[in-house]
Amino acid sequence: MRLLVLSILLPVLATSRIIHGDIKSNEIKEDECILPDALRQEIRSYETVANTIINSLVNGKYKGGTYKELAKFVDTFGARVSGTENLEDAIDYALDLMKEYELENVHGEEAQVPHWVRNHEIGELISPRKASLPVLGLGSSVSTPDEGIEAEVIVVNTFDELRSENVSKEVKGKIVVYNEEYVSYGETVQYRSQGASEASKLGAVASLIGSVTPFSMSTLHTGWQNYEDGVTPIPTACITKEDARLLQRYQDRGEKIVVKLDLSYTRYNDSTSRNSVGEIEGSTDPKKVVLVSGHLDSWDVGVGAMDDGGGAFISWYALAVLKGLGLKAKRTLRAVLWTAEEPGLVGWEEYNRTHFEELSNFTFVMESDEGTFTPLGIEYAAGAEGGCIIQEIVNLLAPINATQAVASKGGVGSDISAWTSHLIPGASLLNANEKYFWFHHTQADRMEVLDPDDLDKATALWAVVSYIIADLTEDFPRTRDNAHSNMVNVIPT
Amino acid sequence: MRLLVLSILLPVLATSRIIHGDIKSNEIKEDECILPDALRQEIRSYETVANTIINSLVNGKYKGGTYKELAKFVDTFGARVSGTENLEDAIDYALDLMKEYELENVHGEEAQVPHWVRNHEIGELISPRKASLPVLGLGSSVSTPDEGIEAEVIVVNTFDELRSENVSKEVKGKIVVYNEEYVSYGETVQYRSQGASEASKLGAVASLIGSVTPFSMSTLHTGWQNYEDGVTPIPTACITKEDARLLQRYQDRGEKIVVKLDLSYTRYNDSTSRNSVGEIEGSTDPKKVVLVSGHLDSWDVGVGAMDDGGGAFISWYALAVLKGLGLKAKRTLRAVLWTAEEPGLVGWEEYNRTHFEELSNFTFVMESDEGTFTPLGIEYAAGAEGGCIIQEIVNLLAPINATQAVASKGGVGSDISAWTSHLIPGASLLNANEKYFWFHHTQADRMEVLDPDDLDKATALWAVVSYIIADLTEDFPRTRDNAHSNMVNVIPT
C-alpha cells in the first residue's frame, strides 16, 4: 500500500557526477568516489562552519546541553506511552523547549494513535515446581479470562518446529513458549510480532516468547505484536531468556510443565496525539526540506531515554545549536519528533499522509532510532553518488572521529524507512550501538545508558550533516539505486 | 575473636626448598622458582594422571556432567535461602548425589543458621513525580511500620559527605540514599553492610543504597547487612544504580524528593541446617585433609547458579570424577558444601568450631566462590614456596590453558578466608570472572551465566590440583608469609 503510493513520486534523476567501480563492501572507498571538483571544493569550504558547530558542542557553549535537556525531560515525564496524557504533556514540554531555543514554526501536527495499557500481569510456574514466572505483555495483547489461564506448556525453538507434524498436533489447549535463538533483531523479532498468531492457528490458548535480545540479565523486553486477520487473538507476553531456557530443560527432561497466566490489558479507543515540529526556515529555497527526526513516545518500561529520547533530542537540539550559532541554510531544516512510533510508526503514517504533496520537496531525511552511543558517522540509503557526497561531508567530522559513511543494507530509520526505501535519500546515525538491544524496550532503558559526551558528538554530527546538505548549491541527488525492492520490516525498532 | 582462636594453631614451619627473588608482581615467574629437582620431578610425574582427569571431563565420560547435575539441582530447588526447608531439601538431594557418585563418609554436619525472609516490599517515588521505585531489602533489615514510611530523601555519595557538618544536621527524619561510586566490591560493599547504621546514628528513618555493582540493567543487588550494637535498627534496602542517579539529579536541581517505603520482613528464630560433606579417604595418611568447597545456600533472588552453585558443584564433582577414575590420594580429599554462607559464613563458623582440633591436619583448603567462568588457574594464599609448587602443578593444566598461579592480595575464599589468612595454605579458582558482580545477588544469577565447557574445565582444574596436593610425598608447606595481619572482610561474597 505504502509502496504503491510512494512509487508515484517523481524521481529527480541523478545527474551523473560520479564514476565509481563496483561497490562490493558497504563502505565507500574514497578512491571509488570521483566527485566533481566544484562540489568537492564546496563541501570542503564548510570546514570552518563544521568546526564551529563541533567546538560549540564539544568544548563550548552547548557542551553537555543535549544530555542535560534530555535528562530533565525523562526525569520529569518518565515513560511516554502512546495514547496517554503523560505523552501529551511531554509533547507540550518539547514544543515549549523548541520555542525556548528559538526554533521557527514550532507546532504539533495531530495524529490518531493507539492506546494500550497493562493493568496487571502475573505469571506462575505451577509444575514441575512452584515459582514466580515474570512476564511482560506484548503490545496489543488481549487479556486472559478473569480467572486466568492455567495450562500445560509446549516449548518450541522455531516456527518450523511448531508447525512440524509431531508438534503441531500437540499444541491445542496449551501455552506455546518460543525459546528462539537470537540471530539478529530483524530476524528474531518475528517471534514477537507473529508468535501469538502462529500459535493461535494451532489452537494454543496463549503464547510466550523468550525476550528478543542478544544478552539478558533476566530482563524482559516488550514490543508491539500483531494479530493476523481471521485468527483468534490469544494473550501473549515475553518471559526472560533464562526462563525460556529453563522451560526447555524441563521439557527435555520429560517433566510436565504447567504455567498460570493472569494478564490484564486495556485497549482504549485511539486518541489524539501530535508529531512535534520545529524549523529553521531556508534562506533562499524554503520550500525544500532537510528533515531530522526521532520519536518522543516510548515503551512503558524504562523511561525511553535511549529509545528514542536520544534520537529525538539530538534532532531538535541540532537545530537549536545551528540557530544559536546564527547558521541559516538555503533550504529549510525541519526537526520532527514523531509520536506513536512504538505501536507501529503511527505518527509517521499520518504525517506521510498529510505531507504527501510536499514529499517531492524533501531533499534529505534523517532519523536516529538505534541509539546515540559514540557516533561513528552516517549510515545512508542515498545511492552511490549520494554516498560519495556523504563521505565528503563526514570527512569534516574528523575532529570527533565520526568519518564513516556506510551504505545501509536494509534501509535506514524506522519512521522514515518507507521514504528511504523509495527514492527519498536519507540517513541514520551510525553509532557504536552493539549493546542497543540489551536495553531495548526494557526497564533498563534509562539515562545511564547514555553518555553526555557521546550526545554532544552525535548532535554535532547531526547538525553538520543536515546543515551542509540543506545549504549546498545543488539539491542532494535522488537516485533509484537506493530503492529497495522489498518493503522494510514495518515492526518499529 | 576468630583471629585469636586461630593464632594458637601451631605453624608447621616451612622447609627451605626454595630460592627466589623479590616477587614484585602477583604472578610467580617460573625462573623465580627453584624447586628441588625431586619435588619438581614428582609433580611432573602426574602429567599422565592430570591428562586422564582433563580428558575425562573435556572429551570423555564426565563431559558436561557438572553443568548437567547443577542445572538439574537449581532447576529443581531454585533459590536456597538459609533457614528454609527448601535449602534442607536441597542439602538432602546433594548428599544423595554424593552417595550416588560413591563418595565416602557422606554426611551432613549441623549448624544453627539465621532465617530472614522478605514478605513484601514496595517503594514509591512520591515527589517530584509519582513513579514506582523498585527496592530489594538487605538481609536482616527490619520492617517499616505497618503504615510504611513516607519521608523526604537526602542523597549522599560517601560516608564522609553524610557526616559532614552541612549534611549531617539535615539527616534527621529523612531517608538517606547512598549514591556511591562502585570502586571494587571489597571497598564499596561497606555502604551495603554499614549504610543503615551510619544513617541511623544521625537520625535517619530508613536508608537506601544504589546497588553495589560495576554494571546495571536496572538490576537490584541484595546482600547481608549488619546493625551496629547500640544503634536503632532502621529499614534498609537497595535501589537500582539508575534510580540512585535519578534521585541525585533531582537533588542537584533543588527538587524536593519524597519517597514512600512499605517493607515487610520476618526474622525467624535460627534453625538447624547442615554443611554437606563427602570424601575420598586417603590411602596412607587419611587423617590429613585437602579440602575443596563452595556453598550450597543462596540469596532469594535468582537461583544461586553462579553464587555459589558452580563452586559447590565443581567441588563435589571433582571428587566424583577422581572416584570414578579410581584415583585415591595418600591424604583424604574432602568436599564441604557450606550452608548459610550468605548471612555471614555461619555454616563455616560452626564447622570451624567443631573441627578446631583437626585443623592442624588440614594440608590445603580450597574454595570457589567468585564464579566458575573460564578457569585461568589458581589464586593462592600459600606463601612463596607454596606458590612455586602450585605453579608447577598448574603447568599440568596446559591442555585447558589454566596455568596461572597468582598470589592473592587480600586472602582467598569467603568461607575459608579466615583459615587462609592464618597459616593454612589455600586457594581459590582463578577464572575470567570480570562480570561476576554484574550478576551477584540478583535475579540474573541463573544457569545461563554458566557455560558447560567452562564448568568441565573448572572441575578438571579443581580435581587435578587437589588430588596432586593430597598425593605428594611431603605435606604442602605451611609458611607464615601467607598470614595476613588484618582479618579479611567478614562480609561474605
Side-chain angles (χ1 to χ4, degrees):
Chain A
M1 176 66 170
R2 251 179 242 151
L3 190 136
L4 209 74
V5 172
L6 286 159
S7 62
I8 62 166
L9 286 173
L10 285 179
V12 178
L13 289 175
T15 51
S16 215
R17 285 186 277 187
I18 184 172
I19 304 164
H20 61 84
D22 263 351
I23 295 170
K24 291 270 168 34
S25 87
N26 268 337
E27 208 157 330
I28 298 286
K29 300 288 178 300
E30 206 172 330
D31 57 6
E32 290 167 338
C33 282
I34 306 185
L35 292 176
D37 256 3
L39 177 58
R40 192 183 293 271
Q41 288 312 318
E42 187 185 3
I43 294 172
R44 291 185 181 176
S45 76
Y46 286 99
E47 187 179 352
T48 310
V49 171
N51 287 341
T52 301
I53 295 169
I54 293 167
N55 285 332
S56 78
L57 280 150
V58 172
N59 312 307
K61 181 177 172 188
Y62 297 106
K63 180 177 169 60
T66 316
Y67 187 93
K68 192 182 130 217
E69 291 293 3
L70 178 58
K72 210 168 151 196
F73 176 75
V74 300
D75 293 352
T76 302
F77 296 101
R80 305 166 303 281
V81 178
S82 173
T84 63
E85 268 189 45
N86 188 52
L87 171 58
E88 297 315 302
D89 291 345
I91 288 169
D92 285 337
Y93 180 99
L95 291 168
D96 285 346
L97 258 181
M98 288 195 279
K99 284 176 194 160
E100 191 188 308
Y101 279 82
E102 301 185 345
L103 298 200
E104 303 157 14
N105 307 329
V106 173
H107 65 282
E109 299 190 14
E110 290 192 354
Q112 297 304 302
V113 301
H115 188 193
W116 176 90
V117 297
R118 54 188 97 238
N119 304 315
H120 66 259
E121 303 175 305
I122 306 168
E124 285 176 275
L125 180 61
I126 304 292
S127 168
R129 73 179 177 93
K130 292 250 184 195
S132 164
L133 184 74
V135 290
L136 187 64
L138 302 182
S140 83
S141 174
V142 296
S143 304
T144 55
D146 285 349
E147 68 277 16
I149 289 176
E150 184 171 319
E152 206 173 318
V153 158
I154 185 162
V155 184
V156 298
N157 295 127
T158 63
F159 284 138
D160 284 346
E161 189 185 346
L162 176 75
R163 295 182 202 115
S164 68
E165 203 184 318
N166 283 342
V167 173
S168 59
K169 65 185 182 202
E170 300 293 334
V171 169
K172 197 170 171 167
K174 295 206 176 104
I175 297 169
V176 167
V177 171
Y178 295 97
N179 174 31
E180 81 284 356
E181 275 304 319
Y182 182 87
V183 180
S184 68
Y185 181 74
E187 185 168 336
T188 310
V189 75
Q190 62 178 323
Y191 292 96
R192 190 188 83 204
S193 56
Q194 300 154 41
S197 293
E198 294 304 318
S200 177
K201 286 176 193 171
L202 297 169
V205 291
S207 70
L208 299 170
I209 57 162
S211 289
V212 178
T213 181
F215 176 76
S216 178
M217 290 191 46
S218 284
T219 320
L220 295 162
H221 296 243
T222 189
W224 203 254
Q225 68 93 39
N226 303 304
Y227 293 117
E228 235 175 77
D229 287 345
V231 158
T232 307
I234 57 172
T236 186
C238 68
I239 57 177
T240 67
K241 275 182 88 130
E242 288 87 342
D243 279 327
R245 301 283 187 274
L246 172 68
L247 298 178
Q248 179 82 60
R249 288 196 300 274
Y250 285 145
Q251 179 168 293
D252 292 347
R253 290 185 200 122
E255 299 188 83
K256 182 176 170 179
I257 312 167
V258 177
V259 160
K260 182 167 183 190
L261 297 172
D262 177 5
L263 311 176
S264 168
Y265 310 108
T266 304
R267 178 79 184 246
Y268 294 100
N269 289 335
D270 287 3
S271 63
T272 305
S273 183
R274 290 157 293 164
N275 295 307
S276 306
V277 181
E279 295 184 339
I280 303 176
E281 212 172 60
S283 58
T284 61
D285 214 348
K287 288 201 168 160
K288 289 192 175 145
V289 175
V290 170
L291 184 147
V292 291
S293 66
H295 65 88
L296 270 192
D297 68 306
S298 78
W299 267 101
D300 55 349
V301 286
V303 296
M306 178 191 82
D307 183 12
D308 183 29
F313 269 59
I314 65 165
S315 292
W316 76 259
Y317 202 74
L319 267 58
V321 170
L322 293 172
K323 181 77 183 185
L325 295 173
L327 290 165
K328 201 172 177 70
K330 295 187 183 70
R331 297 171 193 77
T332 292
L333 278 158
R334 179 182 298 169
V336 182
L337 316 181
W338 310 107
T339 191
E341 188 271 354
E342 295 297 358
L345 320 181
V346 178
W348 171 83
E349 271 193 87
E350 179 60 21
Y351 188 90
N352 182 56
R353 196 160 23 243
T354 53
H355 288 263
F356 186 71
E357 297 299 328
E358 192 193 10
L359 293 186
S360 55
N361 280 324
F362 279 18
T363 304
F364 200 80
V365 291
M366 295 163 69
E367 185 179 47
S368 168
D369 189 19
E370 291 202 22
T372 48
F373 298 88
T374 308
L376 304 174
I378 284 286
E379 183 177 352
Y380 63 84
E385 180 184 9
C388 290
I389 295 173
I390 289 169
Q391 181 63 68
E392 194 64 44
I393 294 172
V394 293
N395 286 346
L396 300 174
L397 279 308
I400 56 167
N401 288 317
T403 57
Q404 295 181 42
V406 175
S408 166
K409 284 177 189 169
V412 296
S414 49
D415 284 293
I416 65 168
S417 60
W419 287 341
T420 57
S421 300
H422 299 90
L423 305 177
I424 305 180
S428 58
L429 181 71
L430 189 70
N431 67 106
N433 62 356
E434 299 81 7
K435 292 183 180 166
Y436 181 77
F437 289 107
W438 292 25
F439 304 99
H440 180 252
H441 297 184
T442 75
Q443 62 180 5
D445 183 350
R446 300 289 300 266
M447 274 315 289
E448 286 60 38
V449 178
L450 304 177
D451 175 78
D453 292 344
D454 284 343
L455 280 174
D456 287 339
K457 290 176 193 166
T459 299
L461 184 151
W462 224 225
V464 166
V465 172
S466 62
Y467 175 75
I468 294 177
I469 293 176
D471 200 51
L472 284 174
T473 308
E474 293 204 47
D475 286 346
F476 197 94
R478 286 197 173 188
T479 58
R480 285 211 65 85
D481 67 348
N482 70 309
H484 299 291
S485 54
N486 297 320
M487 279 296 285
V488 292
N489 196 332
V490 293
I491 294 295
T493 54
Chain B
M1 177 68 169
R2 250 179 242 152
L3 189 137
L4 210 73
V5 172
L6 285 159
S7 62
I8 63 167
L9 285 174
L10 285 179
V12 178
L13 288 176
T15 51
S16 213
R17 285 185 278 184
I18 183 172
I19 304 163
H20 61 84
D22 264 351
I23 295 170
K24 290 270 167 35
S25 87
N26 268 337
E27 209 159 332
I28 299 285
K29 301 288 178 299
E30 206 171 333
D31 56 7
E32 289 166 342
C33 283
I34 306 184
L35 292 176
D37 256 3
L39 177 58
R40 192 183 293 270
Q41 288 313 317
E42 188 186 2
I43 293 172
R44 290 185 181 177
S45 75
Y46 287 98
E47 187 178 353
T48 310
V49 171
N51 286 341
T52 302
I53 295 170
I54 291 166
N55 285 330
S56 79
L57 279 149
V58 172
N59 312 306
K61 181 178 172 186
Y62 297 106
K63 181 178 169 58
T66 315
Y67 187 94
K68 192 182 131 217
E69 291 293 3
L70 178 58
K72 210 167 150 195
F73 176 75
V74 300
D75 293 351
T76 302
F77 296 101
R80 303 167 303 280
V81 178
S82 173
T84 62
E85 268 189 47
N86 188 52
L87 172 58
E88 297 315 303
D89 292 344
I91 288 169
D92 286 337
Y93 180 99
L95 291 167
D96 285 346
L97 257 183
M98 288 194 279
K99 284 175 193 159
E100 191 187 309
Y101 280 82
E102 300 184 344
L103 298 201
E104 302 157 14
N105 307 328
V106 174
H107 65 282
E109 299 189 16
E110 290 192 352
Q112 298 303 303
V113 301
H115 188 192
W116 176 89
V117 296
R118 56 188 97 237
N119 304 314
H120 66 258
E121 303 175 306
I122 305 168
E124 285 175 276
L125 181 61
I126 304 292
S127 168
R129 73 179 176 94
K130 291 251 185 195
S132 164
L133 184 73
V135 290
L136 187 65
L138 302 181
S140 84
S141 174
V142 295
S143 304
T144 54
D146 285 350
E147 68 277 16
I149 288 176
E150 184 171 320
E152 205 172 321
V153 159
I154 186 163
V155 185
V156 298
N157 296 128
T158 63
F159 283 139
D160 285 346
E161 187 185 346
L162 176 76
R163 296 183 202 113
S164 69
E165 203 184 319
N166 283 343
V167 173
S168 59
K169 65 184 182 202
E170 300 292 334
V171 169
K172 195 168 174 171
K174 296 206 174 103
I175 298 170
V176 167
V177 171
Y178 295 97
N179 174 31
E180 81 284 356
E181 275 304 318
Y182 182 87
V183 180
S184 67
Y185 182 73
E187 185 168 337
T188 310
V189 74
Q190 63 178 322
Y191 292 95
R192 190 188 84 204
S193 57
Q194 301 155 40
S197 294
E198 295 304 318
S200 177
K201 286 177 193 171
L202 297 170
V205 292
S207 70
L208 300 171
I209 56 161
S211 289
V212 179
T213 181
F215 176 77
S216 178
M217 289 193 43
S218 283
T219 321
L220 295 161
H221 295 245
T222 189
W224 203 254
Q225 69 91 37
N226 304 304
Y227 293 118
E228 235 175 77
D229 287 346
V231 159
T232 307
I234 57 173
T236 186
C238 67
I239 57 177
T240 67
K241 275 182 87 130
E242 288 86 343
D243 278 327
R245 301 282 187 274
L246 171 69
L247 298 178
Q248 179 80 61
R249 288 197 299 275
Y250 285 145
Q251 179 168 294
D252 293 347
R253 291 186 200 120
E255 300 188 81
K256 182 176 170 180
I257 312 167
V258 178
V259 160
K260 183 167 182 189
L261 297 172
D262 177 5
L263 311 176
S264 169
Y265 312 108
T266 303
R267 178 78 183 248
Y268 294 99
N269 290 334
D270 286 5
S271 63
T272 304
S273 183
R274 291 157 292 164
N275 294 308
S276 306
V277 181
E279 294 185 340
I280 304 176
E281 213 173 57
S283 57
T284 63
D285 215 348
K287 287 201 170 159
K288 289 194 174 144
V289 175
V290 171
L291 183 146
V292 292
S293 66
H295 65 88
L296 271 193
D297 68 305
S298 77
W299 268 102
D300 57 348
V301 286
V303 296
M306 178 192 82
D307 182 13
D308 180 32
F313 269 59
I314 66 165
S315 292
W316 76 260
Y317 203 75
L319 266 59
V321 170
L322 293 171
K323 181 77 183 185
L325 295 173
L327 291 165
K328 202 172 176 70
K330 296 187 183 70
R331 298 170 194 79
T332 293
L333 278 158
R334 180 181 297 169
V336 183
L337 315 182
W338 310 107
T339 191
E341 189 269 353
E342 295 297 358
L345 320 179
V346 178
W348 171 84
E349 270 193 270
E350 180 61 21
Y351 187 91
N352 183 55
R353 195 157 25 240
T354 53
H355 289 262
F356 186 73
E357 297 300 327
E358 192 194 10
L359 293 186
S360 55
N361 280 323
F362 280 17
T363 305
F364 200 80
V365 291
M366 295 163 70
E367 185 179 47
S368 167
D369 189 19
E370 290 202 23
T372 47
F373 298 88
T374 308
L376 305 174
I378 284 286
E379 182 176 353
Y380 63 85
E385 179 184 11
C388 290
I389 296 173
I390 289 168
Q391 181 64 66
E392 194 64 44
I393 295 172
V394 293
N395 285 347
L396 301 173
L397 278 309
I400 57 168
N401 289 316
T403 57
Q404 295 181 42
V406 174
S408 167
K409 285 177 188 167
V412 297
S414 50
D415 285 293
I416 65 168
S417 61
W419 288 341
T420 56
S421 299
H422 298 90
L423 304 178
I424 305 179
S428 58
L429 181 71
L430 189 69
N431 66 107
N433 62 355
E434 299 80 7
K435 292 184 181 166
Y436 181 77
F437 289 107
W438 292 25
F439 304 99
H440 180 249
H441 297 184
T442 74
Q443 62 178 7
D445 183 350
R446 300 289 300 267
M447 275 314 290
E448 286 60 39
V449 178
L450 305 176
D451 175 78
D453 293 344
D454 286 342
L455 281 173
D456 287 339
K457 291 175 192 165
T459 299
L461 183 152
W462 224 225
V464 167
V465 172
S466 62
Y467 175 75
I468 295 177
I469 292 175
D471 201 51
L472 284 173
T473 308
E474 293 204 48
D475 285 347
F476 197 94
R478 285 199 174 188
T479 58
R480 283 210 68 86
D481 68 348
N482 70 311
H484 298 290
S485 54
N486 297 319
M487 281 294 286
V488 293
N489 197 332
V490 292
I491 293 295
T493 53

